[in-house]
Amino acid sequence: MRIHIGSDHAGFALKESVRAHLEEAGHDVTDVGAYSEDSVDYPLVAEEVGRAVAGGAADMGVLVCGTGLGMAIAANKVDGVRAVQVNTAEFAEMSRRHNDANVVTLAGRSISDDTAFAIVDAFLTTPFEGGRHQRRVDQISALEDSGPKA
Ligand code: RB5
């Protein structure tokens, strides 16, 4: 699978571990940085990974910051991205089955390497169920560019 991965400084260490884990599993991984613990702004990284996924250059995205929260907020501003911040493999699985999530964001300051590995493994191997969930995902997509409502 083609995976774009990125982090800010707070997610750098976990991102390095997850990148190695994904490469060992045979994935085609593109690392957009950060490349050190020097401070960087997470929205710029989220945009780059989000655009790769939404534009088709990547099948899935993985983003890591301190909490995963800012990365999810920023990535979800890119049309076509369905980013989820998850702390458990169970929620990673549900985000694929029901939400067809295409970007997972991780809390670099809160979860262990092993938990992160379990999350990305579940995320990358669980299929979308479609059916009634496709209608709901389509409703999410319809919110893009829908403008403010009174
Ligand atoms: C950086 O200090 C921190 O704000 C960032 O990594 C992330 O947790 C934001 O959501």
Side-chain angles (χ1 to χ4, degrees):
M1 194 173 282
R2 297 167 307 150
I3 299 163
H4 270 50
I5 189 169
S7 76
D8 70 355
H9 50 286
F12 171 72
L14 185 63
K15 185 264 290 175
E16 291 292 291
S17 297
V18 171
R19 177 174 50 74
H21 175 77
L22 295 174
E23 287 172 347
E24 278 169 24
H27 293 291
D28 175 2
V29 183
T30 300
D31 183 354
V32 306
Y35 303 113
S36 75
E37 291 187 337
D38 292 346
S39 183
V40 294
D41 295 333
Y42 64 80
L44 306 179
V45 180
E47 179 186 5
E48 185 168 353
V49 169
R51 290 200 188 284
V53 172
D59 301 309
M60 293 286 189
V62 178
L63 290 163
V64 193
C65 63
T67 59
L69 297 172
M71 285 292 198
I73 292 168
N76 277 317
K77 297 295 183 185
V78 178
D79 285 359
V81 168
R82 289 178 297 281
V84 287
Q85 194 281 355
V86 296
N87 293 329
T88 66
E90 289 75 14
F91 271 42
E93 183 179 329
M94 290 309 295
S95 78
R96 289 290 309 132
R97 286 198 191 292
H98 286 194
N99 312 116
D100 199 18
N102 52 17
V103 175
V104 65
T105 76
L106 304 172
R109 287 178 171 151
S110 296
I111 63 171
S112 67
D113 283 5
D114 283 346
T115 296
F117 299 162
I119 288 170
V120 295
D121 289 349
F123 192 79
L124 297 174
T125 59
T126 303
F128 177 49
E129 284 181 8
R132 68 188 187 280
H133 301 296
Q134 182 63 60
R135 181 178 69 250
R136 294 159 184 165
V137 169
D138 290 344
Q139 289 166 350
I140 293 171
S141 299
L143 293 170
E144 293 169 355
D145 294 324
S146 61
K149 294 216 167 90

